[in-house]
């Protein structure tokens, strides 16, 4: 078994009196695609924010180790330098920059100019829509286009671990298919991924392992294929009787 690249132990997050995450354990091993599924408000986004340190430390208890060392207190630049990139819910593209400029921003931790240009070209190949609109302001693109751009921008930093928060949210069925195809492709290229999703079926079909989050706690975990067959998952998260 490979070593965990991300290890979360006893993680709790409180917003005032509300305990949004209740002492969860979770790990992602090198090369894995792991999904965290659960209903609205279960605490998935809060978990990702606690991992990347985008919540005030006073709200958080427990341990998050990345590549064998604690990461709390590191800036997002330092995290990206260490190979950890995140695509937040709602994409977070730089609205007043063009698509090309957004991609260049994603590569700010690199200085191999030729490699950066080659990567931009690669992403334009994967998402032709981005090439067609290379000089358009990112804020004027559709939700699906912004999602593609956000993923491509995060991958421009050549992350070892990519955290994705609901990449399928608000997208058309066709676009959801495309986004999941790319997630699988990126995983097949060796990038380790932690994928937060409400689309449990697509997420479990793509992932190696999964965790179910329910009211701030992990209620179930296991191989994704086994979870797809689990009657409790089928009933609660796959909309089956
Ligand atoms: P969704 O899929 O709807 O985004 P989620 O599983 O990602 O849900 P979170 O966004 O992590 O859930 O929210 C977990 C709980 O914490 C919810 O009850 C939410 O209302 C609460 N919460 C989230 N952010 C804050 C905040 N800044 N202040 C107070 N409560 C918050």
């Amino acid at each position: 078994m490979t070593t965990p690249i991300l290890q979360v132990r006893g993680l709790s997050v409180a917003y005032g009196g509300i305990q949004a995450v209740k002492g969860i354990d979770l790990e992602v091993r090198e090369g894995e695609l792991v999904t965290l599924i659960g209903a609205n408000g279960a605490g998935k986004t809060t978990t990702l924010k606690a991992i990347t340190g985008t919540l005030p430390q006073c709200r958080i208890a427990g341990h998050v180790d990345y590549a064998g060392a604690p990461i709390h207190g590191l800036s997002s630049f330092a995290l990206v330098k260490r190979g950890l990139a995140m695509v937040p819910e709602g994409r977070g593209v730089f609205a007043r920059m063009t698509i090309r400029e957004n991609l260049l921003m994603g590569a700010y931790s690199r200085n191999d100019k030729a490699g950066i240009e080659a990567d931009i070209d690669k992403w334009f190949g994967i998402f032709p829509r981005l090439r067609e609109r290379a000089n358009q302001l990112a804020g004027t693109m559709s939700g699906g286009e912004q999602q593609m751009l956000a993923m491509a921008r995060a991958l421009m930093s050549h992350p070892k671990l990519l955290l994705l928060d609901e990449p399928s949210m608000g997208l058309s069925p066709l676009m959801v298919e495309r986004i999941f195809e790319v997630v699988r492709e990126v995983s097949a290229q060796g990038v380790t991924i932690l994928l937060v999703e409400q689309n449990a079926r697509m997420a479990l079909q793509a992932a190696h392992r999964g965790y179910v989050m329910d009211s701030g706690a992990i209620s179930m975990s296991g191989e994704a294929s086994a979870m797809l067959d689990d009657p409790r998952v089928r009933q609660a998260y796959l909309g089956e009787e």
Side-chain angles (χ1 to χ4, degrees):
M1 198 178 287
T2 51
T3 45
I5 188 166
L6 180 72
Q7 188 151 40
V8 172
R9 281 167 294 140
L11 181 72
S12 295
V13 183
Y15 294 115
I18 300 168
Q19 196 71 25
V21 177
K22 301 170 182 165
I24 66 165
D25 295 332
L26 176 156
E27 66 177 39
V28 182
R29 295 191 286 269
E30 244 165 70
E32 277 192 313
L33 198 181
V34 172
T35 187
L36 178 61
I37 59 174
N40 273 320
K44 306 179 299 296
T45 297
T46 299
T47 299
L48 282 192
K49 285 184 178 167
I51 290 172
T52 54
T54 44
L55 289 173
Q57 204 54 37
C58 61
R59 299 193 183 283
I60 304 174
H63 301 274
V64 177
D65 284 356
Y66 167 70
I71 49 170
H72 73 254
L74 294 183
S75 65
S76 36
F77 180 74
L79 291 176
V80 167
K81 268 274 183 207
R82 278 163 212 229
L84 195 161
M86 174 157 171
V87 179
E89 197 174 21
R91 348 282 189 217
V93 298
F94 300 114
R96 299 175 70 88
M97 290 187 181
T98 66
I99 287 169
R100 215 187 125 70
E101 287 164 348
N102 266 272
L103 292 174
L104 286 171
M105 287 299 286
Y108 69 100
S109 60
R110 298 169 56 184
N111 43 31
D112 55 324
K113 212 158 177 279
I116 291 170
E117 284 304 324
D119 273 359
I120 290 180
D121 200 54
K122 178 182 98 179
W123 285 107
F124 281 171
I126 293 171
F127 295 127
R129 185 63 67 91
L130 297 185
R131 190 194 300 277
E132 284 164 25
R133 290 162 188 244
N135 297 316
Q136 183 174 323
L137 293 183
T140 62
M141 299 203 304
S142 76
E145 291 164 351
Q146 289 192 28
Q147 182 61 53
M148 293 175 195
L149 177 59
M151 280 184 60
R153 189 185 61 183
L155 286 158
M156 287 296 295
S157 67
H158 285 179
K160 291 196 193 77
L161 174 63
L162 180 66
L163 307 179
L164 290 172
D165 196 359
E166 301 208 23
S168 78
M169 191 171 61
L171 302 188
S172 68
L174 207 65
M175 196 58 81
V176 171
E177 293 275 348
R178 186 73 192 112
I179 289 291
F180 272 96
E181 255 173 49
V182 173
V183 169
R184 284 169 194 262
E185 236 168 80
V186 169
S187 165
Q189 284 169 13
V191 179
T192 307
I193 299 175
L194 176 58
L195 167 68
V196 161
E197 257 301 332
Q198 277 202 54
N199 190 329
R201 185 184 307 276
M202 299 280 283
L204 288 171
Q205 281 169 348
H208 301 114
R209 286 193 305 118
Y211 291 87
V212 176
M213 199 161 187
D214 189 3
S215 306
I218 301 289
S219 58
M220 215 185 296
S221 64
E223 295 296 317
S225 54
M227 289 174 74
L228 273 171
D229 289 335
D230 188 303
R232 291 166 297 173
V233 175
R234 296 179 83 95
Q235 195 191 1
Y237 301 102
L238 304 180
E240 294 180 11
E241 291 301 306

